[in-house]
Amino acid sequence: MAVRAVRGAVQLERDDAEHMQEQVGELLTAILERNGLLADDLISVWFTATPDLHSDFPAAAARALGITDVPLICAQELDVNGAMERVVRVLAHVETELSKAKIAHVYLGAAGALRKDIAQ
């Protein structure tokens, strides 16, 4: 079993706690499903949010999905001029049999433009 990192991101339509929970939940679910993972395979998850998101912690979406025994942390993304707005990014450390090349990084909707080189 190897430790791998899985990336992902989603752009929110608005800064609203319910919308954030829905969209981040969808992102986390897609990361797990596309990589054949279970919540038990998660080691830790880092979330970043752009400075224009204030309504809730992205990690709250993971807790709402039942991911309750995994260390989670939230941080603010760098405030770079011209950067995409209302984005939540995820970096999940997982245990998996997948090789690095087989990991599916998940960028939903407009966030796909952030990493066209690895978005799936």
Side-chain angles (χ1 to χ4, degrees), residues 45-86:
V45 183
W46 283 78
F47 298 90
T48 64
T50 51
D52 50 3
L53 294 174
H54 309 280
S55 62
D56 203 357
F57 295 100
R63 299 292 183 224
L65 288 175
I67 301 172
T68 57
D69 62 348
V70 175
L72 308 174
I73 191 164
C74 298
Q76 188 175 71
E77 190 70 35
L78 294 173
D79 190 8
V80 176
N81 288 333
M84 187 179 287
E85 299 176 335
R86 300 177 317 281

Side-chain angles (χ1 to χ4, degrees), residues 78-97:
L78 294 173
D79 190 8
V80 176
N81 288 333
M84 187 179 287
E85 299 176 335
R86 300 177 317 281
V87 175
V88 174
R89 291 174 173 85
V90 173
L91 175 63
H93 299 96
V94 303
E95 291 181 315
T96 181
E97 296 291 339

